[in-house]
Amino acid sequence: MALEADAGYEDILQFRFSDIIAKKCNGSALTSEEIRYVVQAALTGQAEESQLGALLMAIRIRGMDPKETLTLTKELVASGHVLQWPEEWNGFLVDKHSTGGVGDKVSLPLAPALAACGCKVPMISGRGLGHTGGTLDKLESLQGFSAKQSPAQMQKILQSVGCCIVGQSGDLVPADKIFYEIRDVTATVDSLPLITASVMSKKVAENVSALILDVKFGEAAQSPTIEEARILAESLVSVGVSLGTPTIALLSNMDSPIGRCVGNTLEVIEALECLEGAGSQDLRELVTRTGGHLLWLCGKADSEVQGAEAIAKALDNGSALQCFRAMLEAQGVHSDIARNLSSTSNFRKASHQQLLRVDKAGTVKMIRARPIAEILNALGAGRSRATDIINHSVGAELLVEVGQHVEKGDPWIRIHYESPPLQDKQRQSLQASISIIDCPPFTPPSRIREIITHQGKSEETGTNMRREGETS
Ligand code: IUR
């Protein structure tokens, strides 16, 4: 990893924060020394929050060029600790990052499937905020699960199990936390260089050998169009590769929920089905293809197709499920629960369930994820503020799939709720989120539409591509 400092501390003492704000307001590129000064001033408290907010807004409006973005990423990484791993794991440490979706439980089967294939997966995940869910919230549906693991504990779990899914510790990229909190309240979250530096600094600080980014586009994604997702993916991949981490990105569609469950407990149950080799085809495809690319990137498979086959085998033969159970036990879940996950008595059910029915016959054209997620959040499944307490058992099960024929009166969704109860207006919005048209049944297209590598985009065909640094 090329993280050597570009400027000494003496070089940055000469700056005034207000001059740097003015420079960015005028649209000029900041030097490496200026960016280093900004990050240090944020960390030490020398910069006032108003100054940080003003600079972040100037960056949001004026942007940053690729060199500035790369420097900001490096300086964010250098603001905290970089995880260190035993040398013999070099090459096999892998991780995935998703830009956030609805029903996105891919990490739950993916991390143990990769571990079952011989990788080490130190996955650092987040909690849900807004309409998108968080992997840690899902796992916390399991009594005893602890996302709080020190780097030494992570190493121990990786040694014995091969994967862990944990929260970000305070000393990993602390400057990003400062910036993110200010971005959240200054309408500067949606800045390409700020997102790139924030996401990639945390992944680079994990010190992994290969990384895959699932950049989502669509109505329920941060990027509404594939064009915007592609620009973000290219920026993320470019920074990862420049910092020495082989990185690729998938562009995947996020209009309808992934799989058939949304909501923390229900998503864990669905992830278990995937770990038993069953469940929704779209979830299994995202897990096998994402994992397949990682196995290929780190040299454990000769192509991503072979890699995907290895992941599918780990799901089908129970080895991924075994790693998942071992990971849960290592992270605090009682062995009686971890070893008997298929017993639904281990999951707390919501006290109320309600079925909604389709009001006409036809083919399901679309199930819109965003309104469903927003209503579930209002029912307590998610947070609108970071401090909100969530109800893990609130969620929804989809009983029909896009492309399927339905008859008038067929049940299409089961809502699990407690308090507050489901309101008439929410019921109407849910009914409006399914569209049924008069056409023959169809097979929905793959969610994965494009793969972005450092060499550029590849139409998604499942063909071989070049690994970073490999000659053709
Ligand atoms: N996740 C991050 O880690 N950083 C960001 O800026 C966003 C999501 I948006």
Side-chain angles (χ1 to χ4, degrees):
M1 216 188 339
L3 287 175
E4 69 282 359
D6 292 327
Y9 287 95
E10 324 73 61
D11 297 330
I12 62 174
L13 293 176
Q14 56 186 309
F15 298 117
R16 277 199 328 179
F17 209 101
S18 54
D19 293 341
I20 295 177
I21 298 171
K23 186 172 177 185
K24 185 44 79 181
C25 275
N26 293 332
S28 302
L30 302 181
T31 64
S32 299
E33 290 77 12
E34 286 165 337
I35 292 171
R36 167 171 260 236
Y37 168 77
V38 164
V39 173
Q40 289 303 317
L43 260 187
T44 56
Q46 216 180 320
E48 290 171 26
E49 282 193 5
S50 57
Q51 292 179 306
L52 292 172
L55 180 64
L56 291 168
M57 183 57 80
I59 294 172
R60 163 70 182 77
I61 293 167
R62 290 298 201 162
M64 277 183 145
D65 66 25
K67 182 167 178 271
E68 289 176 282
T69 308
L70 182 63
T71 305
L72 178 60
T73 312
K74 282 197 222 176
E75 292 301 339
L76 290 179
V77 175
S79 74
H81 288 161
V82 173
L83 296 176
Q84 299 300 326
W85 308 112
E87 212 171 309
E88 63 268 24
W89 295 357
N90 275 352
F92 307 128
L93 284 147
V94 297
D95 195 12
K96 176 216 79 153
H97 173 83
S98 157
T99 58
V102 175
D104 187 356
K105 69 281 291 175
V106 169
S107 295
L108 271 53
L110 177 64
L114 285 163
C117 292
C119 292
K120 299 290 182 192
V121 193
M123 196 175 265
I124 297 179
S125 295
R127 289 175 202 286
L129 190 62
H131 75 279
T132 59
T135 297
L136 300 182
D137 295 325
K138 299 178 213 280
L139 285 166
E140 283 169 354
S141 307
L142 286 156
Q143 200 191 333
F145 181 84
S146 171
K148 203 163 178 231
Q149 306 289 337
S150 68
Q153 287 168 315
M154 286 173 75
Q155 183 164 327
K156 203 165 151 222
I157 301 170
L158 290 190
Q159 187 79 54
S160 59
V161 179
C163 61
C164 59
I165 304 183
V166 306
Q168 190 185 339
S169 68
D171 52 7
L172 201 88
V173 201
D176 174 64
K177 188 163 185 291
I178 297 169
F179 284 2
Y180 195 85
E181 280 169 11
I182 298 174
R183 284 169 62 203
D184 204 25
V185 293
T186 54
T188 53
V189 168
D190 65 340
S191 149
L192 180 78
L194 295 178
I195 296 172
T196 302
S198 169
V199 168
M200 292 310 294
S201 60
K202 284 174 285 197
K203 291 295 151 189
V204 168
E206 275 181 18
N207 208 355
V208 288
S209 327
L211 179 62
I212 192 158
L213 305 156
D214 181 359
V215 181
K216 303 209 171 287
F217 67 92
E219 193 194 38
Q222 197 186 352
S223 308
T225 65
I226 194 166
E227 290 76 20
E228 284 168 84
R230 189 181 296 125
I231 292 168
L232 175 59
E234 284 169 354
S235 173
L236 294 165
V237 168
S238 163
V239 166
V241 171
S242 301
L243 292 179
T245 306
T247 305
I248 62 173
L250 311 177
L251 303 186
S252 70
N253 180 264
M254 192 60 254
D255 286 327
S256 60
I258 297 171
R260 50 172 201 84
C261 290
V262 185
N264 296 296
T265 301
L266 293 172
E267 289 192 45
V268 174
I269 295 171
E270 188 178 17
L272 282 168
E273 282 173 20
C274 181
L275 282 161
E276 286 165 351
S280 302
Q281 194 46 43
D282 63 339
L283 173 61
R284 183 175 163 100
E285 188 196 18
L286 281 169
V287 174
T288 54
R289 301 276 300 279
T290 308
H293 278 284
L294 278 174
L295 291 183
W296 168 64
L297 264 187
C298 75
K300 283 200 175 284
D302 289 337
S303 68
E304 65 268 26
V305 175
Q306 259 190 27
E309 284 165 5
I311 297 286
K313 195 166 159 202
L315 297 175
D316 294 338
N317 68 15
S319 55
L321 181 58
Q322 213 175 330
C323 286
F324 186 63
R325 288 190 175 122
M327 179 190 84
L328 295 180
E329 264 192 71
Q331 293 193 234
V333 176
H334 195 282
S335 56
D336 290 347
I337 299 178
R339 288 176 200 175
N340 192 20
L341 287 169
S342 40
S343 162
T344 43
S345 61
N346 286 325
F347 296 96
R348 204 179 74 77
K349 273 229 158 95
S351 36
H352 302 284
Q353 296 179 10
Q354 190 169 121
L355 280 178
L356 304 189
R357 295 172 188 278
V358 294
D359 54 13
K360 65 175 179 186
T363 298
V364 180
K365 178 176 170 245
M366 168 75 145
I367 299 173
R368 293 173 57 214
R370 196 170 189 121
I372 295 174
E374 284 170 354
I375 289 165
L376 293 177
N377 275 6
L379 294 174
R383 301 182 182 81
S384 46
R385 274 167 309 179
T387 49
D388 289 349
I389 306 238
I390 60 172
N391 183 337
H392 290 88
S393 57
V394 171
E397 287 169 84
L398 298 176
L399 308 171
V400 299
E401 290 176 7
V402 171
Q404 171 186 335
H405 176 80
V406 287
E407 291 295 338
K408 182 175 175 182
D410 281 351
W412 74 274
I413 192 168
R414 181 182 288 121
I415 304 293
H416 297 236
Y417 65 95
E418 290 189 322
S419 174
L422 188 62
Q423 309 283 330
D424 280 347
K425 208 159 168 244
Q426 292 171 326
R427 216 171 282 121
Q428 284 159 17
S429 302
L430 285 168
Q431 288 296 40
S433 67
I434 182 166
S435 42
I436 294 167
I437 56 166
D438 190 14
C439 78
F442 61 90
T443 306
S446 166
R447 286 181 184 273
I448 302 170
R449 302 293 164 80
E450 236 171 78
I451 308 291
I452 304 292
T453 68
H454 198 42
Q455 280 89 22
K457 81 171 173 147
S458 125
E459 291 307 331
E460 188 27 38
T461 56
T463 53
N464 235 332
M465 287 181 310
R466 261 191 300 156
R467 240 177 255 154
E468 298 307 332
E470 205 172 62
T471 47
S472 47

